[in-house]
Amino acid sequence: MVASTADTVASAHAPPKPHAGLEWTLALPLTAFFAVFFVTPLLLLVVVSLFADSEMTRFGLDQYAKFFGDAFNWKVLGSTLFLGVKVTALTLLFGYPLAWLYTRSGPRMQSALILVVILPLLTSVVVRTFAWVVILGRDGIVNNLLLTLGLAETPLRLLYTENGLVAALVQVQMPLMVLPLITTLTRLDPNLLDASSALGAGPWRTFFKVTLPLSLPGIVAGCLLTYAASVTAFITQSLVGGGQLLFMPQYIYQQTITLHNWPFAAAISMVFMVSVLGVVMLLNLLGRASKGYIHA
Amino acid sequence: MPDPRRPTWGSFSFGLVMGSLSTAALLLLAAPTLVVLLTSFTDGYSLKFPPPSYSLRWYVSLLDAWQLQDAALTSLQLGVVVTGVSVVLGTAAALAIGRSRKAWARGLDGLFMSPLVLPALAFGLASLMFFSTAGIELSFLTLAVGHIVVSVPYVLRTTLASLAQLDPALLESSESLGAGRLYTFRRVTLPTIRNGIGAGAFIAFMSSFDNIPVSLFMADARNEVLPIRMWQILENSLDVRAAAVSGVLIVVTVLAMVVMERVAGLSRQLR
């Protein structure tokens, strides 16, 4: 009697599901696909990087020794990682006010703003980079303006410089920063801002003490995407940076396609991947810490 | 306490700094697209801006640029195949891991999303090594496989986000009313996640159509894709036809974006 009551109660709460628990099988096709075409190639990359010679006859850590033994390689790696830092910082500086403006705008203005932000994201990277070739070129807008205003005697070399590349990358990656920021800022409780100003805090104080700390998760998410995208932006780096500036993606491409040195290309890919993932994980930790800070 | 209605130096300077920085950001975002559009209508032979005079000659010249046309066709076919497979694999996986809080589901989620943060160029190189070690010749199919890996995360992300909005009580009531699982999926789950799948498919298509890091290693001479072709043009000759192709791409992107905004609420799905 007791048992049958318990059965009735249990079945009332959990209706019979004939196939319940079989949902996980739906993940099998993609898991198999990733195991063969994503995980296996990456493992193979590790194996290839462990060949001591470019003919791939014996194993050894020679490729890594070769990479870290040459100051030139350190410089390429360092300038790539630092390029990402510069681009991410500038993107945040300009992107944050834009996301802030979005939260302060009416609905019509908001849809206009979101289209301006998303359009570059969906336009081809080659097209966006090409715009910068036109803007920064000898006959470009910047040089024409400088010459007309008499600020320069002869056209300046803007293309193929690091500053030109940073400007282009900031524009190309800006949407990746602005979208997560908009998400976080729109979820922010407006009462908090009102409370802050009602208690006598000026707009600057409210911004630095309330808005900015509460939007840290969005900042971290935006920085993460922007950083990962700008260090690997092969096209922008090669077209705006030109031949004089060498970054990791072109270095890998050169070693593979031009020099056919697979083990060395694999080794520098590994070094590059581990460094980028290191930065990403660091940012992720910061993000988790900032979430704890808000809920505390 | 200062009168909040009286503009103070603090609120003035705050408005000025935020206003000018966001205006600069807007200009920075919009200007390059406009520059490319204007340049594509130039009458001259160089990428001078502003153009000396305007004409449609570079658009006309696209009509017999067969190499560019072939590359565009390959990219289109590739995008369709990649999107189709990504939607099927991605949606199925999202249904499996979306409502599970278990460790294996979080683990798979992390694995499927990792192509987004991993340097895609390293994956491109790894794929090239994988297929040539396995003795498989590079083809349209191997190129598509590489693209699918980097496109699936977009479908998975938007589908998972829309699944999170599905109330599990709806599924339970549907089942307790006697609906089969397939019927419940068709009448309850699918209508809720349709927009998420649609937006994910659109972004997956765009990401494949614009993919460089994988195509760089996986596209051979018989399967030349549009972004690589354009990159080579810009790298070698700064041909003005590249501006005309860019103009076409911008117009098509804007149109597709407006349609997707109407159909699937694209901008809501992206956030």
Side-chain angles (χ1 to χ4, degrees), chain A residues 1-114:
Chain A
M1 182 62 204
V2 175
S4 73
T5 318
D7 280 348
T8 329
V9 170
S11 60
H13 280 277
K17 289 181 195 167
H19 304 285
L22 283 177
E23 251 175 9
W24 64 273
T25 51
L26 285 172
L28 282 180
L30 189 59
T31 309
F33 191 86
F34 262 59
V36 177
F37 298 118
F38 181 65
V39 178
T40 313
L42 289 178
L43 290 178
L44 185 69
L45 190 72
V46 179
V47 173
V48 171
S49 78
L50 293 173
F51 278 108
D53 51 340
S54 54
E55 283 75 41
M56 301 204 270
T57 50
R58 54 197 174 79
F59 285 106
L61 287 171
D62 303 43
Q63 303 299 338
Y64 291 96
K66 183 175 146 197
F67 182 87
F68 289 116
D70 191 342
F72 172 80
N73 299 325
W74 281 99
K75 215 183 123 240
V76 177
L77 179 64
S79 56
T80 309
L81 297 178
F82 190 49
L83 176 75
V85 173
K86 282 192 274 194
V87 171
T88 309
L90 279 172
T91 315
L92 181 63
L93 179 70
F94 287 100
Y96 199 99
L98 182 57
W100 179 85
L101 181 73
Y102 176 88
T103 59
R104 290 304 183 90
S105 312
R108 278 179 158 271
M109 181 71 174
Q110 282 193 340
S111 8
L113 283 177
I114 205 86

Side-chain angles (χ1 to χ4, degrees), chain B residues 241-256:
Chain B
R241 277 184 309 177
V245 180
S246 302
V248 174
L249 285 180
I250 289 172
V251 172
V252 172
T253 308
V254 171
L255 287 179

